[in-house]
């Protein structure tokens, strides 16, 4: 079943010059890029995106991090895209993520973990509306 999912390539990836490396993983897998934008978000947008985390103790530094520089938001499309992208991304904590995954290969942090990917059809719908309202 073809699906769409929302991905963020976070400011750490952009700063480290890993944008191409991360994008190429998704392209090589066969996913299509249906929307893509390079932008720096403010705290309000961070709060809207991470609405289920705003009360967590890890949120203030996460908010500072995700607003700290440009990121790239994109919508990817393909067969079972939500699960496929989550599997390519790997576990949240880069120190635990399996080698071969994006976080497993490039991240040593549970905050600066390079990418965000929608975790369900409901969150994909909500996040795509938030980041690409005209899609
Ligand atoms: P993401 O997949 O974007 O979803 C929530 C984000 O919060 C997560 O990636 C990490 O960047 C961050 N995060 C989750 N858990 C922790 C934690 N325990 N400490 C710091 N950051 C976290």
């Amino acid at each position: 079943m073809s699906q769409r999912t929302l991905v963020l390539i976070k400011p750490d990836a952009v700063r480290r010059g890993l944008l191409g490396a991360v994008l190429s993983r998704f392209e090589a897998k066969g996913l299509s890029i249906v929307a893509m934008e390079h932008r720096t978000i403010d705290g309000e947008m961070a709060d809207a995106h991470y609405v289920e985390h705003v009360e967590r103790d890890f949120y203030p530094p996460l908010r500072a991090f995700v607003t700290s520089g440009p990121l790239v938001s994109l919508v990817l499309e393909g067969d079972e895209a939500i699960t496929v992208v989550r599997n390519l991304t790997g576990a949240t904590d880069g120190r635990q993520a399996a080698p071969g995954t994006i976080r497993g290969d490039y991240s040593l942090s549970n905050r600066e973990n390079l990418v965000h990917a929608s975790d369900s059809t409901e969150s994909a719908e909500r996040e795509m509306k938030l980041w690409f309202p005209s899609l």
Side-chain angles (χ1 to χ4, degrees), residues 3-71:
Q3 287 180 331
R4 288 181 171 188
T5 189
L6 187 282
V7 171
L8 303 179
I9 304 180
K10 297 182 185 179
D12 55 334
V14 176
R15 257 193 302 273
R16 291 172 58 195
L18 293 172
L19 179 56
V22 172
L23 267 179
S24 73
R25 300 282 180 113
F26 298 127
E27 287 190 298
K29 187 67 176 173
L31 295 155
S32 307
I33 299 169
V34 301
M36 182 158 69
E37 187 182 19
H38 178 271
R39 64 187 274 197
T40 302
I41 62 165
D42 61 16
E44 206 173 306
M45 182 66 179
D47 296 348
H49 176 72
Y50 283 125
V51 65
E52 74 255 35
H53 296 312
V54 290
E55 302 301 331
R56 305 287 293 273
D57 57 354
F58 65 75
Y59 186 66
L62 172 62
R63 188 183 202 258
F65 160 58
V66 82
T67 58
S68 66
L71 55 70

Side-chain angles (χ1 to χ4, degrees), residues 27-128:
E27 287 190 298
K29 187 67 176 173
L31 295 155
S32 307
I33 299 169
V34 301
M36 182 158 69
E37 187 182 19
H38 178 271
R39 64 187 274 197
T40 302
I41 62 165
D42 61 16
E44 206 173 306
M45 182 66 179
D47 296 348
H49 176 72
Y50 283 125
V51 65
E52 74 255 35
H53 296 312
V54 290
E55 302 301 331
R56 305 287 293 273
D57 57 354
F58 65 75
Y59 186 66
L62 172 62
R63 188 183 202 258
F65 160 58
V66 82
T67 58
S68 66
L71 55 70
V72 172
S73 56
L74 57 153
V75 173
L76 293 174
E77 184 175 85
D79 196 28
E80 311 242 357
I82 295 170
T83 302
V84 166
V85 169
R86 294 280 294 183
N87 288 341
L88 288 173
T89 297
T92 300
D93 187 335
R95 296 165 297 191
Q96 309 295 331
T101 65
I102 294 166
R103 290 166 172 164
D105 287 351
Y106 296 118
S107 168
L108 204 52
S109 167
N110 63 351
R111 176 179 309 118
E112 302 204 5
N113 60 0
L114 301 156
V115 280
H116 165 85
S118 305
D119 64 3
S120 65
T121 51
E122 294 74 23
S123 58
E125 285 307 314
R126 187 188 73 78
E127 293 169 4
M128 286 190 289

